[in-house]
Amino acid sequence: MTGRNKDFRDQLGKFRLDSISSYPSDPSPTWLSSYPEPVEAASPSRSKRVSTACDFCRKRKKKCDFRYPNCSACTRAGVRCTIPPPGPQVASASVPRDQLETLQKRVRWLEEVVKRKSGLSVAELATGTPVDGEGDPDWWYQVPAMIATGGARPATSMSSPAASGSSVTAGPSEASTAVGVELPNVGEIFRDRLEHRRPSVARPSSAPRVQRLSSLEEAERLAGQYFDSMGYQYPFMSRPEFMSNLRHIYTGGVPSPETHNSYHIVMAISLLIGSADPTKAAEFYNASQETLPMALQNEDLPAVRALLGLALYTMFATAGPSIWHVLGAIMRLATSIGLHKARPYASIAEEEMSKRAFWSLYNLDRLIASTLGRPLGIADDDISVGLLRELNDDGTEAPGASGMTIPLQVVRLRRIFSRIYQYLYSSLPRPPPQEVVVTLGQFRREVDDWRMAAPVYPSALLYSTSYYDYLYYTTLLLMYRPSPRNPTPDITSIISCGDSSLQVIRSYWDSYSIGKLKWIWLTLSQLYFAGITILWCLEQNARSLRESQPAPWHPEEQTMRRGIQAVIVLLEEFGKRRPGVDRLAETFRHQSTMIFSQMAYQQHQLEQQHHHHPQYQPPPPPTLMPPQPSMPLAAPPPPPVPLAPVLDDVLLVDSSGTIPMIDPQMADQLYYSYNWFQEEMASYYTL
């Protein structure tokens, strides 16, 4: 491994053809017959060895381990690792004649390989001459991937240095309808970056064309929508800095590549959030990809921010790379530069922006992993970086009254959420039931304490309170639903699951009523899950009644029925926007009909038995409500659109009086079909 690192440093900045892993075993082909077989480097006795130690190790006269981008000595000292450029002493070093001839022959052979594989003739060009002809200085780095795949040079410039490695090409009409064809998978980008890395260098000072809206006022309005929604959840961008760059762009300024990328991706996300024409959002998204390679040029914080912006876009759009793969790439990049560790920074501003980027990534990782039922990207035990500070834009600290108040509370809950997920959703042996009861009780106290202590943000009073409630109930659902280590929840879990599901559905319906529901796969997943959880709780009631036991869950009848109907309506609305969801809506309607039919039949049977054998009915338990904060909260305005109507009785019993009987195993299959839904959804949305 040391030898390969040394070879990489010796050839740093040069073209590598390591991707050609196999040569023809027969040396007779004509295209190789005129060149001798490559020979090993000359022995130390025949040539002078060029030192490849970094500047810091050379000055200290210490051995350098050549780690990239920083060697171990530079990492410990906290300095940037640099290497000296070739100097006169290198240029004047004597080279044996046979070695020089061998190198010349190898260069001719490589030129022939490039010409045959890519159609690119470089033999007559001077070293350093641009070879792409399309204005993309990074096109040359596509050649190794082209040679490895046997592809040809693209006719037009691609938006990424890895684009030519993708076998999918589409025109404008295809890109607007197909899924995941606008960009190569982000894994391809990082594959080429890892195989053909270059030393950290300054990014260009200017960027390509800028996509503008009709006016600065419209751009500021869209940017405000982004920071007033996504900015509270994922604050990896500085609002004052972004707005300053925005005004610079609209007054004729030329942005840097990272500014160009962030501006266009924010506009694209905001257009999607606002349910605007997706074509306009796609234009901004495509413009952002023109500078994505330059934004990912170095392993640093701007590269992390660029990928976080890409992840948010792919969370809202069906096109683009997979958010799961993007998050994996960001997590590896963030940990490689140490964002997860507590370490000194040059300034408070730099430290806080690094923290905001990491905790935004942490929040996204926990959300996506738990929704898809996949492993977490980083263990909490490996994180030592501190939480966010509640700093205003002017740098003053304002606990409970800062733009970072909401993100800080979200991170605190996600830390609890993460421990719940790791405890219940792992392959470890099942703990004793009593241990589960005690542990869930501890988690419940932590979640309740978090809700009571979470301060409202005056500038976003309704947003903060409603968002806190939504996070509170989704966390309870994660904790109480059947899980690998707690497959048979108790009565408390059934009650908590049912009441929490109703609150989650209410939250989505309220957003739908005012036209602010985000039609994304996360919403679809959680809405469907809340609906089938209610059906599962109702089946637990039916099972208890069959066993002559009191029903564990006693929801308010009309509220429960309206909740089910709301899920059906929202799933049908999803079906109008996302092909394939209409089938899911029909399936859910059928399942609801079956369970409500059984409930009607059992209620009829109980009423008949009550006339002959009156039984004591226990009082219903109180409805699950979030802990009330110490300060009074303003009541949210009533939704302008009423809730969906009560389920029609015709759905339950037809005129013949025939009661459709439910399969005894249907409830368990229904509830655990969520795993199937996760896989189905991930496949459709290329997650």
Side-chain angles (χ1 to χ4, degrees), residues 80-140:
R80 186 173 182 180
C81 190
T82 60
I83 60 172
Q89 72 279 8
V90 177
S92 61
S94 60
V95 180
R97 182 184 300 274
D98 60 342
Q99 183 180 0
L100 182 60
E101 292 175 353
T102 299
L103 291 175
Q104 290 173 341
K105 291 179 179 180
R106 183 166 180 81
V107 168
R108 290 198 297 270
W109 173 70
L110 293 176
E111 290 172 349
E112 182 69 17
V113 171
V114 171
K115 182 177 181 180
R116 289 179 178 272
K117 292 292 184 179
S118 67
L120 183 66
S121 178
V122 297
E124 305 301 326
L125 299 178
T127 302
T129 302
V131 295
D132 58 311
E134 303 292 344
D136 182 2
D138 283 331
W139 186 87
W140 177 254

Side-chain angles (χ1 to χ4, degrees), residues 528 571-572 574-576 578-591 676-677 680-681 684:
Y528 174 79
L571 288 178
E572 290 176 348
F574 257 107
K576 298 175 183 178
R578 296 288 186 268
V581 181
D582 51 348
R583 178 173 59 90
L584 187 69
E586 182 61 31
T587 301
F588 184 83
R589 177 188 289 275
H590 174 71
Q591 293 168 337
W676 162 83
F677 175 66
E680 186 85 359
M681 181 179 60
Y684 176 75

Side-chain angles (χ1 to χ4, degrees), residues 417-651:
F417 183 97
S418 181
R419 290 191 287 112
I420 295 173
Y421 188 74
Q422 289 176 306
Y423 178 77
L424 293 174
Y425 300 86
S426 70
S427 58
L428 295 175
R430 294 180 186 174
Q434 187 59 33
E435 177 190 326
V436 174
V437 172
V438 173
T439 305
L440 291 185
Q442 294 173 347
F443 283 140
R444 178 60 183 270
R445 286 190 291 271
E446 290 186 54
V447 176
D448 288 350
D449 290 344
W450 169 84
R451 184 61 188 89
M452 294 181 64
V456 298
Y457 179 47
S459 302
L461 177 63
L462 179 60
Y463 181 92
S464 62
T465 54
S466 61
Y467 188 47
Y468 290 160
D469 288 343
Y470 169 78
L471 293 176
Y472 173 81
Y473 288 117
T474 53
T475 303
L476 293 185
L477 270 180
L478 179 83
M479 181 168 61
Y480 286 119
R481 65 184 169 109
S483 57
R485 303 192 73 208
N486 184 29
T488 55
D490 57 9
I491 293 178
T492 301
S493 298
I494 296 172
I495 296 173
S496 299
C497 279
D499 291 344
S500 296
S501 296
L502 289 174
Q503 295 297 331
V504 170
I505 294 171
R506 160 70 75 169
S507 176
Y508 280 125
W509 184 264
D510 289 344
S511 298
Y512 169 71
S513 300
I514 59 178
K516 291 186 176 181
L517 184 66
K518 298 180 177 64
W519 303 98
I520 62 177
W521 64 271
L522 278 172
T523 301
L524 174 62
S525 172
Q526 295 178 354
L527 181 68
Y528 174 79
F529 179 72
I532 62 173
T533 300
I534 291 178
L535 299 185
W536 176 80
C537 292
L538 293 176
E539 172 58 21
Q540 300 307 304
N541 283 354
R543 179 177 298 180
S544 297
L545 293 176
R546 286 195 299 268
E547 298 173 354
S548 300
Q549 299 292 330
W553 186 40
H554 297 271
E556 199 278 321
E557 181 77 11
Q558 190 179 46
T559 301
M560 181 266 296
R561 290 175 177 266
R562 285 180 172 177
I564 293 295
Q565 185 65 32
V567 174
I568 295 174
V569 171
L570 293 177
L571 288 178
E572 290 176 348
E573 290 296 318
F574 257 107
K576 298 175 183 178
R577 296 167 172 83
R578 296 288 186 268
V581 181
D582 51 348
R583 178 173 59 90
L584 187 69
E586 182 61 31
T587 301
F588 184 83
R589 177 188 289 275
H590 174 71
Q591 293 168 337
S592 304
T593 301
M594 294 291 289
I595 287 182
F596 276 100
S597 299
Q598 186 193 42
M599 287 175 54
Y601 176 75
Q602 288 186 337
Q603 183 65 29
H604 178 69
Q605 294 294 101
L606 287 175
E607 290 176 355
Q608 288 185 340
Q609 293 177 5
H610 183 71
H611 291 295
H612 304 286
H613 305 284
Q615 296 180 356
Y616 168 75
Q617 295 292 333
T623 303
L624 181 68
M625 295 294 293
Q628 299 299 315
S630 56
M631 62 179 297
L633 303 178
V641 179
L643 282 175
V646 178
L647 283 175
D648 194 337
D649 290 339
V650 175
L651 289 175

Side-chain angles (χ1 to χ4, degrees), residues 31 36 162 199 211 245 359 390 409 472 527 568 678:
W31 70 285
Q211 186 85 12
N245 291 331
W359 288 117
E390 297 180 77
Q409 302 310 315
Y472 173 81
L527 181 68
I568 295 174
Q678 288 176 321

Side-chain angles (χ1 to χ4, degrees), residues 130-428:
V131 295
D132 58 311
E134 303 292 344
D136 182 2
D138 283 331
W139 186 87
W140 177 254
Y141 293 90
Q142 298 181 34
V143 177
M146 292 166 52
I147 294 177
T149 58
R153 181 187 178 191
T156 58
S157 176
M158 303 298 289
S159 61
S160 164
S164 60
S166 175
S167 61
V168 180
T169 57
S173 60
E174 292 175 312
S176 61
T177 57
V179 177
V181 299
E182 295 184 358
L183 263 187
N185 190 282
V186 75
E188 296 178 351
I189 298 176
F190 264 71
R191 177 199 64 198
D192 284 352
R193 289 297 173 193
L194 293 176
E195 289 182 358
H196 314 293
R197 290 188 298 175
R198 293 169 286 170
S200 297
V201 295
R203 292 181 175 87
S205 58
S206 61
R209 64 178 180 87
V210 176
Q211 186 85 12
R212 290 184 175 87
L213 295 167
S214 59
S215 65
L216 173 61
E217 290 72 20
E218 183 182 0
E220 289 179 332
R221 178 184 61 82
L222 283 177
Q225 290 179 353
Y226 170 87
F227 284 100
D228 288 341
S229 57
M230 306 308 295
Y232 286 136
Q233 302 175 45
Y234 312 105
F236 58 91
M237 290 186 187
S238 169
R239 184 170 189 161
E241 180 183 356
F242 183 90
M243 290 300 186
S244 175
N245 291 331
L246 185 67
R247 289 186 289 270
H248 175 69
I249 291 174
Y250 277 79
T251 54
V254 180
S256 63
E258 55 266 37
T259 300
H260 177 281
N261 177 266
S262 63
Y263 157 71
H264 286 91
I265 202 69
V266 165
M267 292 295 106
I269 295 170
S270 186
L271 286 168
L272 287 177
I273 293 176
S275 300
D277 182 6
T279 305
K280 191 68 173 178
E283 292 177 0
F284 278 89
Y285 169 67
N286 292 331
S288 72
Q289 303 315 296
E290 296 180 7
T291 47
L292 181 62
M294 286 179 279
L296 300 181
Q297 178 172 287
N298 300 327
E299 295 186 10
D300 53 12
L301 189 59
V304 173
R305 286 199 291 258
L307 286 175
L308 282 171
L310 180 62
L312 290 186
Y313 178 85
T314 56
M315 186 166 64
F316 286 90
T318 57
S322 157
I323 188 174
W324 177 254
H325 294 153
V326 175
L327 286 178
I330 310 173
M331 187 62 74
R332 289 187 176 274
L333 175 58
T335 53
S336 71
I337 62 178
L339 293 185
H340 64 300
K341 295 182 179 179
R343 56 194 179 97
Y345 287 87
S347 64
I348 294 179
E350 180 182 352
E351 178 181 7
E352 285 304 305
M353 290 311 300
S354 297
K355 288 181 179 180
R356 294 179 187 183
F358 175 77
W359 288 117
S360 297
L361 171 60
Y362 179 92
N363 187 6
L364 268 174
D365 174 73
R366 267 48 186 171
L367 175 63
I368 302 301
S370 61
T371 303
L372 295 178
R374 295 176 179 175
L376 303 179
I378 186 173
D380 287 85
D381 293 340
D382 295 329
I383 301 172
S384 60
V385 65
L387 297 181
L388 307 171
R389 294 176 60 179
E390 297 180 77
L391 298 178
N392 286 321
D393 293 339
D394 58 3
T396 59
E397 196 160 9
S402 164
M404 290 299 105
T405 296
I406 296 177
L408 175 61
Q409 302 310 315
V410 174
V411 171
R412 285 175 173 166
L413 180 62
R414 289 299 183 200
R415 298 299 297 268
I416 306 173
F417 183 97
S418 181
R419 290 191 287 112
I420 295 173
Y421 188 74
Q422 289 176 306
Y423 178 77
L424 293 174
Y425 300 86
S426 70
S427 58
L428 295 175

